[in-house]
Amino acid sequence: MIAAVLGLAAALGLGIADFMSRFSARALGAPLTYGAVLLIGTIGASAWVLLSGVQLVWSPLGWGLAIAHGIFVALMCMLLYAGLARGPVSVVAPIVAAHPVPVLAVNVAMGVRPGAMQWLAMVAIIIGSVFIARLAVSEDNPAARADRTTLQLAFGACFAYAALVLTGQAAAPLIGETETMWIGRWSGLVFIAAILLWQGTSVRIPAQWVPYVIVQGGLDTLGYFAFLAGSTTASPHVTMVVASAFSVVTVLLAWLVIREPIGKAQWGAIALIAAGTAILAGT
C-alpha cells in the first residue's frame, strides 16, 4: 500500500510540476526555470542527506557516473520544459515518457534478454510514439499540431531521460541511491549555472513569478523524494509502475486546464505508451 501511495505522490508531483513548466518556461526561459526548480531540489536533497544520516561513500567511478547523471537530468528537463512551452503538451509528454525503449535497447545490447511481456511493451511504446509523432504533424487543428522543433525537443528529452536512467542505475550500486541523487543535483545545478553564465542570462526572477516557481520546485522535489522513498520499500516495482503515470497527469492537466484538443487517436496512442511504460517499469 505504501509503495503505491509513494508512486502516486511521485506521479502527481512530477506531472503537475511538468505542466506548470509550460507557463514558467514561456515567461522565464527553460534554463532559468529549471535552474530555480533545481536549486530548491538541491537544498531539499542536501537537507535529506544531513537529516537522514546517510554515510557518503567515495568512489571515483560512482561519483563520475553520478555527475553525468545530474547533467543528463538537467539536460532532459531543459529540453522537456522547452518542448512543453512550445506545445502541444499531449505530444511532448508522451514522447518523453517513451524513454524505457532506448533504456531497454541499451540493456539488450549489454546482454539482457527481455521476456515476451517486455518485448510487447516496447512494441506498444514504439507504435504509440510513432502515432503521436505522425498525428502531431498532420493534425488539422493548429492547436493540436507540433512543429519539427517541438518534436526534436521531445525526442531529445526522451533520449536524455534514457541516459539519466542508465547512469543513475550504474552509479547507485556503487555509492547508493541517495548519494547519487545528491551529487546529481549539485552537478546539474553547476551545469545550469554554466549555461546561464554562457548565455549572459540574468538570474533575477520577477517577483510575481517567485511563488509560482517555489511551488513548482517543491512539487518536483516531492516527486523525486517520493520515488526515492518508494525504491526502499518492500515493493519498489509498484512505486515505479505508478510513478510512470507522471506524463498522463501532465496530459490530463493540459486537457482539463488549458482545454488542449486531444483526438481519439491521440488518446489511444497515449494509452499505449502509458501501458507499455508501466509494464517496463514494473519488470
Side-chain angles (χ1 to χ4, degrees):
M1 180 65 178
I2 186 63
V5 171
L6 290 170
L8 179 60
L12 289 174
L14 296 174
I16 297 172
D18 287 347
F19 174 71
M20 292 178 70
S21 72
R22 174 177 174 84
F23 308 101
S24 52
R26 281 183 171 183
L28 308 173
L32 180 57
T33 298
Y34 185 64
V37 169
L38 185 55
L39 177 61
I40 296 171
T42 302
I43 294 172
S46 299
W48 176 286
V49 169
L50 289 173
L51 295 176
S52 63
V54 174
Q55 185 175 1
L56 300 180
V57 178
W58 167 245
S59 166
L61 178 58
W63 276 59
L65 288 168
I67 290 171
H69 168 74
I71 292 174
F72 280 123
V73 171
L75 180 60
M76 184 279 294
C77 285
M78 284 194 299
L79 293 171
L80 173 62
Y81 283 14
L84 291 174
R86 295 175 65 92
V89 174
S90 57
V91 172
V92 176
I95 289 176
V96 177
H99 66 271
V101 170
V103 171
L104 185 58
V106 172
N107 287 331
V108 169
M110 296 176 65
V112 173
R113 293 294 173 261
M117 285 298 295
Q118 290 176 311
W119 282 115
L120 287 174
M122 187 163 65
V123 170
I125 292 174
I126 292 174
I127 292 174
S129 299
V130 170
F131 278 171
I132 286 284
R134 287 182 64 85
L135 290 169
V137 297
S138 62
E139 183 63 51
D140 293 333
N141 188 340
R145 190 186 304 131
D147 58 24
R148 179 172 296 181
T149 299
T150 299
L151 291 176
Q152 290 173 341
L153 289 169
F155 280 107
C158 176
F159 285 104
Y161 208 132
L164 76 86
V165 170
L166 292 168
T167 51
Q169 287 177 340
L174 300 174
I175 60 177
E177 294 168 340
T178 301
E179 188 173 345
T180 298
M181 178 193 66
W182 179 64
I183 295 172
R185 290 284 174 171
W186 277 107
S187 62
L189 190 61
V190 172
F191 178 68
I192 294 292
I195 290 177
L196 292 173
L197 183 63
W198 176 69
Q199 290 180 335
T201 303
S202 172
V203 296
R204 181 181 176 274
I205 297 177
Q208 66 269 27
W209 280 98
V210 171
Y212 187 96
V213 172
I214 290 175
V215 172
Q216 182 182 340
L219 287 168
D220 182 81
T221 302
L222 169 65
Y224 278 107
F225 280 143
F227 187 83
L228 180 65
S231 67
T232 63
T233 65
S235 305
H237 58 285
V238 173
T239 298
M240 287 188 290
V241 170
V242 179
S244 68
F246 73 93
S247 64
V248 178
V249 172
T250 304
V251 172
L252 286 174
L253 285 172
W255 181 56
L256 292 170
V257 178
I258 61 176
R259 304 297 182 185
E260 184 173 293
I262 304 176
K264 292 181 180 180
Q266 277 183 294
W267 279 122
I270 291 169
L272 275 176
I273 294 173
T277 300
I279 292 172
L280 289 184
T283 56

